[in-house]
Amino acid sequence: MMIDDKNFTKYLSRQEIDLAVSEIAQRINVDYAGKEVVLICVLKGAIVFTADLVRHLTIDTEVEFVRLSSYGKARTSSGTVTIVKDIQADIRGKHVLILEEIIDSGRTLKFLYDRLKSSGPASVEIVSLLDKASKRVVEVNVKYVGRTIDDQFLVGYGLDLEEHCRNLPDIYYLKYPN
Ligand code: IMP
Ligand code: MG
């Protein structure tokens, strides 16, 4: 699981990622101009994306963290999602943006979206840097997407391979993930 492993192939460079992040931020800055927004970073994968995105935002923001877990196969989520760490802020009447690094089946975000909606926010939208749209199992409306991607297992920029590789500044795909 080292960077020089021949199974790692670069998929998105840090420059391409930065462009995608700043494009998303520009849209959010326009859409939420004059509004206060609660950003909810979905731990752990979205930490790097969140850290980069917030520095491109010119709107008034608060940052919150949530950690979810799903049981089943390690590399994709199963049907059951539970809250490991909840947000601290009261989001009633507030504009909420959920920040994810990647969406696959959609189960994780569907669960979180529905749960946040039930707390009475002014609005809830989803932001995902990457979207494996062809893998969707449950319907979720992702308003801001950086890149729609093929079904490949990716690591780096917050994305992990069994908790490793989140630190890589670029995103790689694994030729032989098993
Ligand atoms: P979903 O609930 O199936 O949409 O799964 C989303 C979660 O699965 C993400 O937040 C990631 O933690 C993880 N995941 C999905 N695809 C990948 C990948 O290619 N690399 C690393 N983690 C992934
Ligand atoms: Mg993950």
Side-chain angles (χ1 to χ4, degrees):
M1 274 197 279
M2 297 299 292
I3 184 87
D4 55 4
D5 188 318
K6 61 185 180 314
N7 291 341
F8 281 74
T9 305
K10 201 177 278 187
Y11 187 73
L12 286 174
S13 68
R14 61 196 82 184
Q15 292 83 3
E16 290 172 300
I17 297 165
D18 193 47
L19 183 65
V21 173
S22 60
E23 281 172 357
I24 292 172
Q26 280 166 31
R27 289 180 57 201
I28 293 171
N29 285 333
V30 171
D31 294 351
Y32 291 87
K35 290 178 179 156
E36 282 182 40
V37 179
V38 181
L39 305 170
I40 300 183
C41 169
V42 184
L43 295 170
K44 301 175 188 176
I47 50 163
V48 183
F49 173 49
T50 300
D52 281 349
L53 185 79
V54 292
R55 285 176 285 177
H56 287 285
L57 294 177
T58 53
I59 52 169
D60 192 354
T61 63
E62 285 176 56
V63 184
E64 285 285 326
F65 298 90
V66 68
R67 186 159 178 213
L68 307 166
S69 77
S70 62
Y71 298 101
K73 283 185 294 171
R75 288 177 193 176
T76 52
S77 61
S78 65
T80 318
V81 183
T82 56
I83 301 262
V84 175
K85 184 227 172 290
D86 210 345
I87 59 167
Q88 249 87 65
D90 180 4
I91 59 166
R92 187 165 300 278
K94 295 187 176 170
H95 294 285
V96 172
L97 284 175
I98 301 171
L99 307 183
E100 252 292 22
E101 81 289 4
I102 195 162
I103 176 166
D104 190 302
S105 71
R107 288 189 181 107
T108 308
L109 282 178
K110 168 81 175 139
F111 170 85
L112 182 61
Y113 180 88
D114 290 348
R115 196 169 185 279
L116 294 171
K117 265 278 181 189
S118 70
S119 303
S123 67
V124 184
E125 297 292 352
I126 296 169
V127 185
S128 189
L129 177 65
L130 305 170
D131 183 4
K132 292 184 185 174
S134 65
K135 294 282 296 294
R136 201 74 85 251
V137 173
V138 294
E139 203 180 315
V140 272
N141 177 28
V142 190
K143 186 169 182 187
Y144 303 94
V145 174
R147 288 279 196 112
T148 301
I149 57 165
D150 296 332
D151 177 20
Q152 267 154 344
F153 191 79
L154 303 177
V155 296
Y157 199 75
L159 292 155
D160 71 301
L161 172 60
E162 287 149 19
E163 296 300 328
H164 294 265
C165 305
R166 295 191 199 273
N167 57 305
L168 304 177
D170 308 277
I171 294 175
Y172 297 81
Y173 76 88
L174 282 173
K175 279 190 214 157
Y176 312 107
N178 303 307

